Amino acid sequence: LCAGGLPSLSYQELKDLKKTNVLHIDVRERWEIDRFGKIPASINIPLGELVEALQMDPTEFKKQYNEKMPSKSDPVVFSCLAGTRSKQALGFATSLGFS
């Protein structure tokens, strides 16, 4: 999920990945996005909603997040403020069968 299985990415690595077909999910809370800003070309799915979101019907996912739902083999990168929640998100996604 994160750069071929690596647990973390540098800013430059993320910028390079975003030039490819990667879905960037920011798992911060909505108030954090409002306060600190949105990361360009990312979608916000707060960590508490992530498991439910990754199990949604693809049509519902698109309607709610305005983005195509990732398949279990699509490249996905998770981010948060300090890395703790994004590592949890990676664990959740892996437990749901994402590779």
Side-chain angles (χ1 to χ4, degrees), residues 31-94:
W31 69 264
E32 291 176 281
I33 303 295
D34 293 341
R35 183 171 181 186
F36 300 113
K38 181 181 185 303
I39 300 169
S42 69
I43 62 170
N44 176 234
I45 304 176
L47 185 63
E49 297 175 21
L50 185 67
V51 171
E52 182 180 340
L54 293 177
Q55 298 179 87
M56 280 181 168
D57 173 76
T59 305
E60 190 62 32
F61 186 94
K62 174 76 172 169
K63 185 197 277 185
Q64 184 156 344
Y65 299 109
N66 200 29
E67 187 71 47
K68 178 183 172 278
M69 183 173 174
S71 73
K72 300 216 187 250
S73 62
D74 285 343
V76 178
V77 171
F78 297 103
S79 66
C80 63
L81 189 63
T84 303
R85 288 173 287 181
S86 59
K87 286 181 184 172
Q88 285 181 287
L90 177 60
F92 291 157
T94 302

Side-chain angles (χ1 to χ4, degrees), residues 3 8-20:
S8 62
L9 298 171
S10 70
Y11 173 73
Q12 188 59 51
E13 288 170 324
L14 179 59
K15 277 183 70 172
D16 292 343
L17 267 177
K18 288 173 79 103
K19 294 174 187 170
T20 67

